[in-house]
């Protein structure tokens, strides 16, 4: 028997977890032939078949199921060696980070800077998207770390709570700010909000129905920047993060108004898969919380 190869073990585990070579190749940033070759060499080295190739996908053989148990132990040992033995500046890996636009416009640059300071050789891929897509990407193992409207209620996911964002109502500058005027605005102006089927969108739809009535026009947008621009142009009103609207208010481009109610604060988590355990991902999540807390203290 040949010595076990860590890259072959990782390819084997990824095929097991994702159910096929194509998805495993995408996750490992390899070609399908490269993953197939690693699996074939692992089987040749062990002298056993690890998978049954079926039309529905790859199914583990009895020997494959046995190897998976040991491979997971090997993976955990490798992670522990990296944690205990390898110096942070010696870690040469890729970290795939997904972030909501709210976080991207606030403290994400500080987080990336802190990551590079701690892990100089770490390659960081950034994907900014809505929380629904980030959650799907995390569960599909396309993202290592997701900063999103959370928590993610899955047994396989660990969630680190982040500071929230207070929402306040905004209109274009110069519109009456009384509570009566605020209620009138919500009846007369379209309400611009977060993307359809997101948590803020669902909550706002319910609150508008209860507080104002069923005939309020709601315009969802997947771009937070676009929401602010539309409000500034007088095309609607919106409940948006106060910390992001503050400078626009100071510049007399927007103004706050109070209809007597507002949606609850946005609650974020930094979430990651607990299996396989990665001390790097866990350390990055802890660092994200620290950076977020520091940013909120001064903003």
């Amino acid at each position: 028997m040949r010595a076990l190869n860590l890259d072959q073990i990782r390819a084997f585990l990824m095929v097991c977890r994702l159910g096929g070579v194509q998805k495993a190749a995408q996750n490992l940033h390899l070609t399908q032939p490269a993953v197939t070759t690693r699996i074939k060499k692992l089987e040749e080295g062990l002298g056993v078949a690890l998978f049954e190739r079926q039309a529905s996908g790859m199914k583990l053989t009895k020997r494959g199921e046995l190897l998976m148990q040991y491979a997971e132990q090997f993976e955990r040992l490798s992670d522990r060696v990296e944690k205990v033995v390898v110096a942070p500046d010696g870690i040469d890996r890729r970290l795939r980070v997904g972030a909501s636009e709210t976080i991207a416009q606030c403290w994400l640059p500080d987080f990336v800077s802190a990551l590079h300071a701690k892990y100089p050789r770490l390659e960081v891929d950034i994907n900014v998207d809505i929380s629904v897509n980030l959650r799907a990407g995390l569960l599909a193992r396309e993202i290592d770390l997701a900063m999103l409207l959370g928590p993610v209620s899955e047994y396989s996911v660990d969630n680190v709570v982040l500071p929230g964002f207070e929402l306040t109502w905004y209109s274009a500058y110069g519109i009456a700010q009384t509570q009566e005027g605020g209620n009138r605005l919500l009846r007369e102006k379209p309400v611009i909000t977060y993307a359809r089927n997101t948590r803020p969108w669902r909550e706002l739809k319910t609150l508008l129905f209860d507080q104002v009535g069923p005939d309020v026009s709601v315009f969802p947008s997947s771009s937070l920047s676009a929401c602010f621009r539309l409000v500034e142009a007088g095309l609607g009103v919106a409940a948006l993060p106060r910390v992001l609207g503050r400078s626009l208010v100071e510049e007399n481009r927007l103004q706050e108004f109070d209809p007597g109610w507002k949606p609850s604060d946005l609650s974020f988590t930094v979430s990651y898969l607990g299996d396989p355990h990665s001390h790097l991902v866990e350390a990055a999540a802890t660092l994200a919380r620290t950076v977020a807390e520091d940013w909120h203290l001064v903003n």
Side-chain angles (χ1 to χ4, degrees):
M1 186 188 79
R2 300 172 189 168
L4 292 178
N5 179 289
L6 181 57
D7 289 334
Q8 294 171 7
I9 291 294
R10 285 174 174 159
F12 167 74
L13 285 172
M14 198 57 65
V15 172
C16 293
R17 287 166 179 151
L18 297 180
V21 171
Q22 182 178 0
K23 290 182 179 179
Q26 292 172 350
N27 191 278
L28 293 168
H29 301 283
L30 297 170
T31 63
Q32 286 184 241
V35 173
T36 300
T37 298
R38 290 184 183 185
I39 297 297
K40 183 178 179 181
K41 287 184 176 180
L42 181 60
E43 290 180 320
E44 290 175 351
L46 294 172
V48 298
L50 300 173
F51 293 100
E52 294 177 5
R53 279 71 173 176
Q54 300 178 340
S56 58
M58 307 277 281
K59 181 181 178 182
L60 283 170
T61 63
K62 294 295 183 181
R63 294 285 183 177
E65 292 176 357
L66 184 60
L67 176 63
M68 186 173 180
Q69 298 175 32
Y70 288 103
E72 288 176 335
Q73 294 177 33
F74 191 55
E75 185 180 52
R76 287 193 290 271
L77 179 60
S78 174
D79 179 69
R80 183 161 181 80
V81 168
E82 185 175 271
K83 177 180 180 180
V84 176
V85 178
V86 181
D89 58 1
I91 293 177
D92 185 5
R93 286 181 53 187
R94 172 180 293 176
L95 183 69
R96 300 166 301 172
V97 176
S100 71
E101 189 182 358
T102 304
I103 289 175
Q105 291 199 26
C106 294
W107 51 263
L108 182 62
D110 295 343
F111 169 67
V112 175
S113 178
L115 267 180
H116 280 308
K118 188 171 183 179
Y119 305 103
R121 297 174 61 184
L122 183 66
E123 180 181 344
V124 183
D125 293 347
I126 303 292
N127 175 35
V128 178
D129 207 335
I130 62 175
S131 292
V132 172
N133 294 340
L134 295 176
R135 180 184 183 278
L138 178 66
L139 296 178
R141 300 180 186 271
E142 297 167 356
I143 295 172
D144 300 311
L145 205 65
M147 303 167 182
L148 73 175
L149 289 165
V152 177
S153 298
E154 292 284 341
Y155 76 94
S156 60
V157 175
D158 292 329
N159 299 285
V160 176
V161 177
L162 299 171
F165 289 85
E166 179 189 5
L167 297 179
T168 192
W169 285 102
Y170 289 106
S171 68
Y173 181 74
I175 297 177
Q177 300 185 51
T178 64
Q179 182 169 324
E180 180 181 352
N183 287 323
R184 175 178 54 79
L185 278 177
L186 294 174
R187 288 191 295 269
E188 296 180 357
K189 289 276 190 181
V191 176
I192 301 163
T193 185
Y194 284 77
R196 189 179 303 275
N197 296 327
T198 60
R199 188 181 303 163
W201 175 83
R202 291 196 302 270
E203 180 187 354
L204 186 61
K205 287 274 289 184
T206 300
L207 288 171
L208 285 170
F209 184 89
D210 293 340
Q211 300 288 339
V212 184
D215 299 324
V216 179
S217 297
V218 177
F219 289 179
S221 172
S222 59
S223 169
L224 190 58
S225 300
C227 289
F228 276 108
R229 290 197 297 270
L230 290 169
V231 174
E232 184 182 354
L235 299 177
V237 298
L240 298 170
R242 171 168 275 165
V243 69
L244 293 177
R246 186 181 298 140
S247 62
L248 298 175
V249 172
E250 293 172 352
E251 296 168 5
N252 292 334
R253 296 162 62 187
L254 294 180
Q255 66 181 27
E256 296 182 17
F257 70 94
D258 181 14
W261 62 276
K262 62 180 180 179
S264 57
D265 295 351
L266 299 179
S267 299
F268 285 89
T269 61
V270 53
S271 303
Y272 57 95
L273 291 172
D275 180 28
H277 179 270
S278 167
H279 96 274
L280 173 63
V281 175
E282 184 177 22
T286 301
L287 181 62
R289 180 176 58 190
T290 300
V291 170
E293 289 172 347
D294 290 345
W295 188 91
H296 279 269
L297 281 175
V298 297
N299 289 278

